[in-house]
Amino acid sequence: NKIGDSGAEALAEALGNNKTLLELNLSRNGITPKGARPLGRALMQNRTLVSLGMSGNTILDDGAFSIAPGLGLSSVDELRISEAGVTAEGAVAITKNLTENGKRLSLLDMKGNKIEDEEVLKEVSAHNIPQHEKDSGQGGTSSAAGQPRPSSRRSSSRAGEISEGSQIPNREGGELGS
């Protein structure tokens, strides 16, 4: 089963106040623009999430518009939003917000979307920090809030994978909202 928009809405409520979850993979969960809106608002409040997976949901451009403002303000360093029905218009909303907030990501994956404009594809690519910069610590060392950017290296804690009957683990071994 998929969490859908109602599950995304409930999760967003907890995510806005959560201080421990580092990774959240909501890929292929039946989320539409309606579910992306509260997630975008939650990103504006959350300062711990480093990786967000939204691939395979039908968030379309409206969903990209909803996520973009929170993405620029959040600690998210990796966004996977491939095969989500986003066009050049939605990609521009995301990259423009990142630019306005002086932010680059370790990973901005928008493959498999309907982005055919070469200039927009270059802009998406420009928001990915090249591996040699990540390895040397040169790329994107601070977040939009001026704080050191959290490492995108994975710790031993499990990432939040949402599937039927699953709980959402956090950095302290508990569950989201506990």
Side-chain angles (χ1 to χ4, degrees), residues 71-76 98-99 101-105 127 144 149:
L71 183 63
L73 300 173
S74 74
S75 56
V76 170
L98 291 170
T99 299
N101 285 287
K103 186 172 178 180
R104 289 172 69 195
L105 303 179
H127 283 283
R149 179 174 284 177

Side-chain angles (χ1 to χ4, degrees), residues 47-168:
R47 296 293 178 258
T48 58
L49 194 66
V50 177
S51 177
L52 177 61
M54 294 286 294
S55 296
N57 291 297
T58 312
I59 67 164
L60 310 172
D61 287 339
D62 285 347
F65 297 146
S66 296
I67 291 171
L71 183 63
L73 300 173
S74 74
S75 56
V76 170
D77 189 47
E78 298 179 354
L79 177 64
R80 289 172 180 83
I81 193 168
S82 62
E83 301 173 2
V86 177
T87 68
E89 197 173 343
V92 166
I94 289 172
T95 58
K96 181 178 178 190
N97 193 281
L98 291 170
T99 299
E100 287 172 355
N101 285 287
K103 186 172 178 180
R104 289 172 69 195
L105 303 179
S106 290
L107 176 70
L108 177 56
D109 179 1
M110 297 188 78
K111 293 182 295 250
N113 284 299
K114 302 170 186 174
I115 306 168
E116 297 174 7
D117 184 314
E118 287 298 318
E119 290 302 312
V120 173
L121 290 171
K122 286 179 188 174
E123 186 68 20
V124 167
S125 194
H127 283 283
N128 283 292
I129 299 171
Q131 186 63 45
H132 71 277
E133 287 184 29
K134 284 189 263 187
D135 292 342
S136 69
Q138 295 173 3
T141 57
S142 66
S143 68
Q147 300 298 316
R149 179 174 284 177
S151 169
S152 61
R153 304 269 188 252
R154 300 295 172 249
S155 67
S156 61
S157 67
R158 290 177 43 210
E161 295 270 349
I162 306 299
S163 61
E164 182 178 13
S166 70
Q167 299 297 317
I168 305 168

